[in-house]
Amino acid sequence: MADKVDVVVVGLGVGGEETAGRLAQTGLSVVGVESRLVGGECPYYGCIPSKMMIRAANLIAETRRVPGMAGTSSVEPDWAPVARRIREEATDTWNDKVAVDRLVNKGATVIKERATITGPNTVSAGGREYEASRGLVIATGTIPAVPPIEGLAGTPYWTNREAIEVETLPATLVVLGGGAIGMELTQVFARFGVQVTVVEGAEQVLSMEEPESGVLAREALERDGVTFRTGSHAKQIGYADDTFTITLADGSSVSGEKLLVATGRRIATDDLGLDKLGLDPKARRIEVDEHVRAGDKVWAIGDVTGVGVFTHNAMYQADIAVRDILQEADAPTASYHAMPRVTFTDPEIGAVGMTEKQAREAGLNVRTGLTQIPASTRGWIHKAGNEGFIKLIADADRGVLVGATSAGPTGGEVLSALALAVHAAVPVHSLRQMIYAYPTFHRAIGEALKEL
């Protein structure tokens, strides 16, 4: 006989943990099921450890910028303290006891087993079955999407997980994929002395962002010694004598001691039993409505919904799900028109809302404004490492911004003002009347507005 509970949360990544914890704190009986690490990809293999790596790599770059600005300098990169910090400060050597205890202390029951959905309101895990009267929340996240390239299967390739765990760096590395994850890890390893080659099938890296972003990122990484092979897909992969050889579609080849596959992610719902909920188990995402409902008494949050593979989106959707499950009178509904995202390369590339291409494809009357950070007073003062730009995308008919990119030394932070403008549909006229503090990087927003 099934155990009766209020809510079952399948998947305890950042969104699932938030949902289970908050519901349990209200007094509901909540069972959270997770076969991997409680807390998810972000604290163990993504956001947190990768930004520790980036912080270390950026310190190396800043030290190298001293000559001509503040005297002389030299730096000898050492990966050991980076790896140690990831083990000891970020991941507890990939042990989730702290996260499990945090949830249990909030009143939730945590089951470290694989879940199987057995019916509309029932989940089997750890040899027991649970029936949820209030509902079921699916938050199983994503796993690396490994392309079916001939010869790849069975080789000791890396995904983001192996790249985060590495304690001794290779001399050479090939990275498949020029998206955000690939670019961030590429720059880190290059700044620590690894010879990196990036293979990207599209003509530009960061192809989902503005073309200017791709150009900026490529030029920055080329200065770090990275080699790019764009516009040609990997066709075949061989591995022999501790070396990967990647044959490209154009007939050329590249080789490296290690191979990092960073070609995207897919939802982790294999054999979960989505069909028991009337959902397509082969779909690339779980479709949800504005309440993040995927069906009757079923909610889905985070990466599985396909609305950006971002921790902040998982937390955003978790809040909507919690308040909907609790039937709060003022429960919010989801809106993704101002989704922010940051690629933490140096320079940082922050973006929100639509790109120019997306806005034009949507049929909007588009106007753009662009200004370069080095042309701003703060950029001129900053000098070494001041590359970047502000690009604004406006719907001329409505007189509001629908998208923006902020790239530069603090691109992700400057983005906050632009994210607010897009989210609240602040009239461009009002943005032009604002007082922008001098001399700041964000003052360049005012200059970009003049170009609209």
Side-chain angles (χ1 to χ4, degrees), residues 25 34 52 76 137 189 302 347 393 399:
Q25 285 178 312
E34 176 57 72
M52 287 181 170
E76 292 294 331
V137 180
F189 291 132
I393 313 301

Side-chain angles (χ1 to χ4, degrees), residues 385-405:
N386 67 352
E387 297 85 3
F389 63 90
I390 300 287
K391 182 175 182 178
L392 308 178
I393 313 301
D395 177 351
D397 292 340
R398 293 171 56 213
V400 298
L401 299 183
V402 294
T405 296

Side-chain angles (χ1 to χ4, degrees), residues 50-355:
S50 69
K51 302 314 170 280
M52 287 181 170
M53 295 162 66
I54 290 167
R55 168 63 174 153
N58 288 356
L59 284 172
I60 292 171
E62 279 295 284
T63 302
R64 289 172 174 163
R65 290 168 178 154
V66 168
M69 292 282 290
T72 60
S73 66
S74 63
V75 60
E76 292 294 331
D78 181 5
W79 187 252
V82 184
R84 183 169 57 250
R85 188 180 182 209
I86 290 171
R87 287 195 312 273
E88 296 177 0
E89 297 182 30
T91 69
D92 288 336
T93 314
W94 293 275
N95 185 316
D96 63 355
K97 183 180 184 304
V98 171
V100 172
D101 290 347
R102 183 168 58 233
L103 258 182
V104 170
N105 290 337
K106 291 178 179 178
T109 297
V110 176
I111 300 174
K112 293 296 295 295
E113 298 284 350
R114 185 172 180 83
T116 303
I117 297 169
T118 55
N121 301 301
T122 57
V123 174
S124 175
R128 306 190 69 160
E129 192 168 61
Y130 300 89
E131 182 178 348
S133 61
R134 291 267 192 139
L136 172 65
V137 180
I138 302 172
T140 49
T142 56
I143 57 177
V146 179
I149 302 172
E150 182 182 348
L152 178 60
T155 65
Y157 63 85
W158 286 358
T159 64
N160 64 297
R161 293 192 162 209
E162 290 76 18
I164 293 295
E165 290 179 345
V166 65
E167 295 194 18
T168 303
L169 297 183
T172 55
L173 172 70
V174 178
V175 177
L176 292 186
I181 295 173
M183 290 296 91
E184 289 177 1
L185 294 176
T186 288
Q187 189 172 52
V188 166
F189 291 132
R191 287 180 167 181
F192 273 88
V194 180
Q195 293 295 313
V196 187
T197 300
V198 175
V199 176
E200 169 55 55
E203 292 296 332
Q204 71 169 54
V205 298
L206 300 181
S207 59
M208 300 301 290
E209 300 295 346
E210 298 287 2
E212 294 90 344
S213 297
V215 171
L216 181 71
R218 178 167 181 163
E219 290 178 349
L221 270 64
E222 284 177 336
R223 287 192 294 272
D224 288 322
V226 177
T227 299
F228 286 88
R229 300 295 299 275
T230 56
S232 187
H233 293 275
K235 184 178 180 182
Q236 186 177 39
I237 293 174
Y239 181 72
D241 300 323
D242 297 325
T243 300
F244 285 91
T245 300
I246 298 89
T247 302
L248 305 184
D250 63 8
S252 64
S253 65
V254 296
S255 61
E257 182 183 336
K258 298 293 183 182
L259 172 66
L260 170 60
V261 178
T263 49
R265 301 183 68 81
R266 65 181 181 86
I267 63 173
T269 55
D270 295 346
D271 302 319
L272 180 60
L274 292 179
D275 56 309
K276 300 294 184 180
L277 302 174
L279 301 175
D280 182 0
K282 296 182 179 180
R284 298 182 65 180
R285 54 179 288 191
I286 297 177
E287 298 284 346
V288 294
D289 65 12
E290 69 273 19
H291 303 282
V292 298
R293 299 172 190 158
D296 183 35
K297 294 186 178 181
V298 179
W299 291 260
I301 62 173
D303 296 358
V304 292
T305 66
V307 187
V309 188
F310 308 121
T311 293
H312 45 273
N313 181 60
M315 297 292 284
Y316 173 72
Q317 291 181 320
D319 180 66
I320 292 170
V322 165
R323 297 172 69 177
D324 193 45
I325 291 169
L326 296 176
Q327 299 180 342
E328 292 185 2
D330 60 345
T333 55
S335 174
Y336 307 108
H337 71 283
M339 179 68 73
R341 53 205 183 269
V342 182
T343 301
F344 290 89
T345 47
D346 174 19
E348 276 184 6
I349 301 172
V352 62
M354 293 181 170
T355 62

Side-chain angles (χ1 to χ4, degrees), residues 344-367:
F344 290 89
T345 47
D346 174 19
E348 276 184 6
I349 301 172
V352 62
M354 293 181 170
T355 62
E356 179 181 355
K357 178 182 178 182
Q358 290 169 336
R360 294 191 186 282
E361 289 176 347
L364 301 183
N365 179 11
V366 175
R367 290 183 182 173

